Amino acid sequence: MPKLISAPDLKAIINDGEELALLDARDQGSFGNKHLFFSSCLPLSLLEMKVRDLVPRHNVRIVLTDDGEGFATKAAAKLEAFGYSDVAVLDSGVQAWQDAGFEVFSGVSVPSKAFGEVVEHVNDTPNITSEELHAKRAADEDVVVLDSRPLDEYLNMTIPGSINVPGAELAYRVRTIVPDPSTQIVVNCAGRTRSIIGAQSLINAGVPNPIKALRNGTMGWHLAGYELERGAARLAPEPNPSNLAHAQAMASDVAERYGVTFIDSEMLDTWRAESHTRSLYLLDVRHAEEYSGGHLPGSRHAPGGQLVQNTDSYIGTRGARVVLMDDTGVRATMTASWLLQMGWRDVVVFRDGLAGHDLETGAHHPEIPGLDEIEAEEISSVELKRSLEGEETTVVDLSWSRAYKAGHIPGAWYSTRAQLPQTLSKLPQTANLVLISEDGILATLASPEAASNIGSIVQVMRGGMAAWRNLGFPQTRGFENMAHEPNDHYLRAYDRDTGVEQAMQDYLTWEVGLVEQVERDGDARFDVIRVR
């Protein structure tokens, strides 16, 4: 059994100045119902696939939470087996935290979203309603709308005519998009946070244009009765040399005013050498394509806007050292200015950029502890299709529930990995059990656990659902064979089939209310600097 820590003792160490990784072992749906303010969601289902990136130092202090389901205890055993040496579990889980009189939070990315509300409050960030924006555009006024979300969200839906400029790119590209300083700039996201942070970023950078955040983003636009555009592909261009120099000058001014500091290659090497005693995160804040084209070895891709929006998904250790990098310094500096105000004190920018360094290419592939030790029996897509023509094979799909809903092997059961033992006890026993996941890795990790619970032969479909789809084999859409309710994803308003408008209203009300809840909790160390 892992060591236990009481709720009062955990409360006492959250801000004691030492590093702490506070991790919730439940799936995101359960995590989103109630959790501790500073906890990062590290589902037991995905632990091996995420832990090395989220918690890189093996001797860091770790506290695991759940709500009494036993996931935290199982996660602790795994972490200790993978070499983590200081692991504890919150005694009696989140309910004990709540019973002790401490605050619990719903939703996801809570620290970042609460921070956005505080930023708006401190700076009185200008905003515009959807009705006002619609009227300005109908009157053919000079207005440009910049969508500060990642490309995939922008492609799904956006304000008609908007240009995609993810958050950290705004100061970097704005002069290229909007050369006239009299043009009204409106920054939007889906709700509130990235609209506020995006607009305030341009204001902080000294952009001379009139700038406003679109109040309540695309949700507000939808609730006002206006149509959203889908499949738009208006992307911000690269800055020319003159505009780049201007962006760098703005970033230099931001660095001075917001206390952004820089380190060189020599200091980075020192920090790398000390990473066994101080946690170190190297984060490249550029576009994914730029990162894949060449990045510093050991760095991870963390686009700046999303890093501010979902800090807890990228940095799992409070008090860690964080080094931000890009090729020109603009995006890293703007991102650092926000993380510092959010309370991440040891955030710096890598001064040397990327020029002159030996770079790696391609996507980041995290270390997955334990994967190489598993000798799973595999079955090809063709062999599985042939096997399913009989009645002696059961298929369990461990993919993300939204991927299962979009298309799965006919007759396959859905389950999360964490609930696989309970799932297998409910299913009819057949001679063969085949586990599948999107790329086959998660299914491979789950195969020994499945084999220990049943007497059937356990196989893993080689290449996962991607291999099945590539052969054009049939798929079924929707939720048909659900071993349990899907809880691996916290439903956003747009993810719902019914009650979308009410969910939007509830979400926006919740987001605004975070300020008072954070004040009651008392653990945030936001230090937002007001623009004078």
Side-chain angles (χ1 to χ4, degrees):
M1 292 293 292
K3 63 182 179 182
L4 300 177
I5 183 171
S6 69
D9 286 346
L10 175 56
K11 185 72 171 179
I13 69 172
I14 283 178
N15 284 306
D16 66 2
E18 300 295 324
E19 290 187 12
L20 172 66
L22 183 57
L23 310 173
D24 195 304
R26 296 170 295 164
D27 286 310
Q28 192 191 65
S30 300
F31 170 83
N33 290 331
K34 63 175 183 177
H35 60 270
L36 279 61
F37 181 67
F38 278 120
S39 59
S40 292
C41 184
L42 178 64
L44 177 64
S45 297
L46 305 175
L47 186 145
E48 294 93 334
M49 302 170 73
K50 292 179 175 292
V51 67
R52 292 301 198 216
D53 282 347
L54 195 61
V55 188
R57 184 159 74 91
H58 295 179
N59 56 355
V60 73
R61 186 174 52 176
I62 297 174
V63 176
L64 290 156
T65 67
D66 60 14
D67 201 23
E69 305 93 339
F71 297 144
T73 298
K74 293 179 180 178
K78 283 182 176 290
L79 292 180
E80 290 173 346
F82 297 150
Y84 290 90
S85 59
D86 189 358
V87 183
V89 170
L90 176 60
D91 193 6
S92 301
V94 177
Q95 188 60 51
W97 181 267
Q98 194 169 11
D99 291 344
F102 303 137
E103 201 74 17
V104 296
F105 291 79
S106 62
V108 295
S109 305
V110 171
S112 296
K113 292 180 180 181
F115 175 69
E117 297 300 320
V118 174
V119 167
E120 183 188 51
H121 176 74
V122 171
N123 284 290
D124 195 20
T125 306
N127 66 73
I128 185 172
T129 67
S130 294
E131 292 84 354
E132 290 167 339
L133 174 60
H134 189 270
K136 284 180 175 292
R137 300 178 82 176
D140 202 27
E141 293 187 24
D142 187 13
V143 179
V144 172
V145 180
L146 305 181
D147 191 317
S148 64
R149 299 172 298 159
L151 180 59
D152 60 335
E153 293 186 50
Y154 172 78
L155 292 171
N156 185 44
M157 58 182 176
T158 190
I159 307 301
S162 70
I163 301 169
N164 183 227
V165 196
E169 308 288 325
L170 284 161
Y172 180 62
R173 301 178 191 271
V174 65
R175 192 169 184 177
T176 304
I177 307 164
V178 191
D180 186 344
S182 66
T183 301
Q184 169 80 67
I185 297 175
V186 176
V187 181
N188 81 274
C189 66
R192 296 178 52 82
T193 308
R194 290 169 290 185
S195 300
I196 295 166
I197 297 296
Q200 195 63 49
S201 290
L202 295 177
I203 295 169
N204 292 357
V207 174
N209 300 66
I211 298 162
K212 293 186 177 182
L214 179 60
R215 188 186 304 170
N216 299 333
T218 56
M219 291 188 192
W221 189 265
H222 175 92
L223 291 170
Y226 304 131
E227 290 292 324
L228 290 163
E229 182 181 4
R230 301 183 185 277
R234 291 175 294 274
L235 309 182
E238 288 293 323
N240 61 33
S242 174
N243 290 341
L244 173 58
H246 185 265
Q248 288 176 315
M250 291 195 300
S252 178
D253 182 61
V254 166
E256 183 176 350
R257 287 187 287 114
Y258 290 87
V260 178
T261 58
F262 299 80
I263 64 169
D264 57 17
S265 296
E266 184 178 353
M267 182 57 72
L268 179 57
D269 289 341
T270 298
W271 282 15
R272 285 183 188 270
E274 296 173 349
S275 61
H276 64 289
T277 57
R278 285 294 309 277
S279 297
L280 179 63
Y281 295 80
L282 307 182
L283 303 178
D284 189 316
V285 301
R286 299 172 296 158
H287 274 308
E289 294 79 8
E290 295 174 277
Y291 174 85
S292 297
H295 56 267
L296 203 68
S299 65
R300 284 193 289 130
H301 179 233
Q306 289 306 102
L307 178 55
V308 176
Q309 165 80 359
N310 302 310
T311 310
D312 57 313
S313 297
Y314 293 96
I315 310 171
T317 307
R318 283 171 54 75
R321 288 170 168 167
V322 180
V323 181
L324 306 181
M325 57 190 66
D326 65 7
D327 53 344
T328 67
V330 177
R331 290 170 282 187
T333 297
M334 295 304 298
T335 304
S337 73
W338 287 121
L339 293 184
L340 288 165
Q341 293 178 79
M342 198 183 293
W344 294 90
R345 298 303 178 203
D346 292 317
V347 172
V348 300
V349 172
F350 185 48
R351 184 189 301 278
D352 296 350
L354 302 174
H357 294 279
D358 293 329
L359 304 180
E360 294 179 341
T361 60
H364 170 65
H365 297 289
E367 177 192 351
I368 303 177
L371 179 62
D372 293 341
E373 302 169 11
I374 299 174
E375 298 180 0
E377 181 177 336
E378 294 187 331
I379 183 172
S380 71
S381 303
V382 174
E383 292 168 331
L384 176 57
K385 187 174 185 299
R386 188 179 300 120
S387 175
L388 289 172
E389 295 172 0
E391 297 182 354
E392 290 303 311
T393 298
T394 298
V395 177
V396 177
D397 193 331
L398 303 175
S399 303
W400 197 26
S401 60
R402 293 178 66 184
Y404 176 90
K405 181 181 180 182
H408 56 269
I409 294 173
W413 288 84
Y414 164 81
S415 176
T416 62
R417 176 190 174 197
Q419 299 197 50
L420 186 58
Q422 294 87 342
T423 292
L424 295 177
S425 69
K426 300 175 185 176
L427 301 186
Q429 292 293 307
T430 56
N432 300 307
L433 171 69
V434 178
L435 302 178
I436 60 175
S437 57
E438 276 300 293
D439 59 6
I441 294 177
L442 182 58
T444 299
L445 291 169
S447 60
E449 300 155 10
S452 68
N453 279 275
I454 61 172
S456 306
I457 296 172
V458 178
Q459 297 174 306
V460 173
M461 187 172 76
R462 187 182 308 119
M465 277 301 296
W468 183 273
R469 283 192 294 266
N470 288 340
L471 290 173
F473 287 164
Q475 299 180 70
T476 300
R477 294 178 59 85
F479 290 133
E480 58 167 0
N481 294 328
M482 307 300 291
H484 55 81
E485 287 294 316
N487 67 339
D488 60 338
H489 177 64
Y490 187 73
L491 285 180
R492 301 171 299 179
Y494 287 116
D495 297 329
R496 300 176 183 273
D497 296 323
T498 60
V500 173
E501 286 75 19
Q502 185 59 53
M504 289 179 179
Q505 295 281 13
D506 292 344
Y507 171 83
L508 295 169
T509 299
W510 164 82
E511 201 164 15
V512 172
L514 282 174
V515 174
E516 291 184 3
Q517 194 176 7
V518 167
E519 288 179 354
R520 292 196 302 269
D521 178 71
D523 285 332
R525 294 295 182 265
F526 299 154
D527 186 19
V528 178
I529 299 174
R530 179 176 175 82
V531 176
R532 301 298 180 184

